[in-house]
Amino acid sequence: MTSNTVCLLPGDGIGLEVIPAAANILEVLDIGLTTEKYPIGWQCFNETGEALPKSTLDAVIRSGLALFGATRSPSGGAPGYSSPIIDLRQQLNLYANVRPARSLPVPSSRQNIDLLIIRENTEGLYIRREHWQDQDTAIAERRITRASCERVATIAAKYAQQRKGLLTIAHKSNVLTLSDGLFLKVVRDTARNCAPDITIRDQLIDALAHDLVIKPESYDVIVTPNMYGDIISDLTSALVGGLGVAASANVGESCTIYEPVHGSAPDIVGKNLANPTATILSLGMMLEDLGHRDASNRLKLELNNTLAAGICTPDLGGEATTDIMLTSILEKLTK
Ligand code: NAI
Ligand code: MG
């Protein structure tokens, strides 16, 4: 990453509420990062005919750094529209989706959880050009390549090394012997080579889903193909407070896009009820990756202090608005 400019991509719905909160925080932290806002998403598509305008894509490529809110994708699809975050992951080769789940000081969070899901982000069933149908049959091909397995294994092994030293490879190679079989073999071999000191184990994805509910504290880093990672990261977010607190980073060679895991939340949009925690924790990940560790730690501390004081949005059982939560954090940061 080379730039000090963070591209803000609010998108649709509550993306337009939580990204400005992060921009406010960046301003108060005053660590030399500037922001520029760019359009993306469903509203942008309706206004311009493009969900991901070239000017937005170019700006993200130039800076290598973006904070994305959420976009709306109409169910059943719309002609000419595709989810711009999926397109960004493809076009910028953002090969790893890093999704932490860590306990928070709120009643709806279970305690002693600190795990990291690393989801392969460019292959598997989510690649549109590998889907087709006739009148009676729809097919989605599932491509897994050695190169993608190697790069996602490398980052997962590095994270495991920096954390508790335990890597779990989640797969379904008993049924998907070819595709998940390749994933398991290549990820295991690569991780062993690049981090010989860590413990590597593997687990079937359905058994993992079970154990994540029963004993989530026994996991450290979990690496898994695209769709499984999408699903189990929603599960792990529920263990620590729900979608309103789930942060992530889409990591590539020359670009990283940070984003709250949640969507545009049409049921609460415009009500000042969006939980900014997921976006704030995504910002914290960005600051840490950029080497602003102190700022990241201060931000997480004041977020935790705010939550521990019961100042939280209704999804966490509180009565605060987005603005009240933000004000509390900003006040603490400026003290
Ligand atoms: P969603 O994440 O938008 O909402 C699911 C539930 O969680 C809703 O009840 C919502 O109110 C709640 N929620 C989500 N974020 C919250 C927050 N920060 N604070 C408080 N409550 C929160 O998922 P849903 O409803 O399935 O999808 C809505 C739209 O978002 C769809 O058009 C979908 O395609 C899109 N979407 C976009 C994503 C993205 O841009 N990365 C990811 C997921 C969905
Ligand atoms: Mg998801």
Side-chain angles (χ1 to χ4, degrees), residues 22-74:
N24 256 318
I25 288 171
L26 261 182
E27 211 169 295
V28 164
L29 286 173
D30 193 20
I31 46 173
L33 291 172
T34 55
T35 59
E36 288 175 5
K37 202 166 74 177
Y38 294 92
I40 195 166
W42 177 244
Q43 192 187 329
C44 176
F45 176 75
N46 284 310
E47 285 167 10
T48 68
E50 288 179 303
L52 174 57
K54 186 168 183 310
S55 49
T56 299
L57 180 64
D58 286 347
V60 176
I61 292 171
R62 250 191 337 268
S63 86
L65 197 58
L67 186 61
F68 172 90
T71 55
R72 189 179 152 211
S73 295

Side-chain angles (χ1 to χ4, degrees), residues 316-332:
L316 294 179
E319 290 175 357
T321 61
T322 313
D323 289 346
I324 288 174
M325 263 192 83
L326 177 64
T327 304
S328 162
I329 295 164
L330 291 177
E331 276 173 7
K332 292 177 169 62

Side-chain angles (χ1 to χ4, degrees), residues 57-214:
L57 180 64
D58 286 347
V60 176
I61 292 171
R62 250 191 337 268
S63 86
L65 197 58
L67 186 61
F68 172 90
T71 55
R72 189 179 152 211
S73 295
S75 48
Y81 183 83
S82 60
S83 162
I85 188 65
I86 293 182
D87 289 344
L88 279 167
R89 290 170 185 159
Q90 299 284 307
Q91 296 199 36
L92 302 178
N93 229 340
L94 305 178
Y95 61 89
N97 195 314
V98 179
R99 297 186 162 192
R102 189 172 291 134
S103 299
L104 289 168
V106 291
S108 54
S109 172
R110 285 165 60 173
Q111 296 308 306
N112 304 317
I113 297 174
D114 181 8
L115 59 83
L116 192 66
I117 291 169
I118 312 242
R119 160 187 174 191
E120 200 292 321
N121 215 21
T122 56
E123 295 195 327
L125 283 170
Y126 287 8
I127 313 308
R128 264 168 219 274
R129 62 178 181 273
E130 288 163 6
H131 297 183
W132 62 89
Q133 68 182 136
D134 63 22
Q135 213 164 0
D136 301 316
T137 308
I139 293 177
E141 258 186 1
R142 185 168 190 271
R143 181 188 302 259
I144 305 271
T145 64
R146 175 179 297 277
S148 293
C149 296
E150 283 172 355
R151 59 189 185 180
V152 82
T154 303
I155 188 171
K158 277 190 191 140
Y159 271 111
Q161 227 167 11
Q162 289 160 15
R163 292 169 47 98
K164 294 177 264 177
L166 172 62
L167 179 65
T168 304
I169 308 167
H171 61 95
K172 189 76 184 172
S173 73
N174 55 336
V175 178
L176 299 168
T177 46
L178 299 183
S179 54
D180 272 5
L182 182 69
F183 184 86
L184 173 59
K185 179 179 183 333
V186 176
V187 171
R188 191 163 45 201
D189 291 350
T190 309
R192 241 187 226 140
N193 270 337
C194 58
D197 48 333
I198 63 172
T199 303
I200 301 172
R201 62 185 188 188
D202 72 275
Q203 192 169 14
L204 296 176
I205 187 67
D206 40 357
L208 174 72
H210 174 274
D211 285 357
L212 279 173
V213 174
I214 305 295

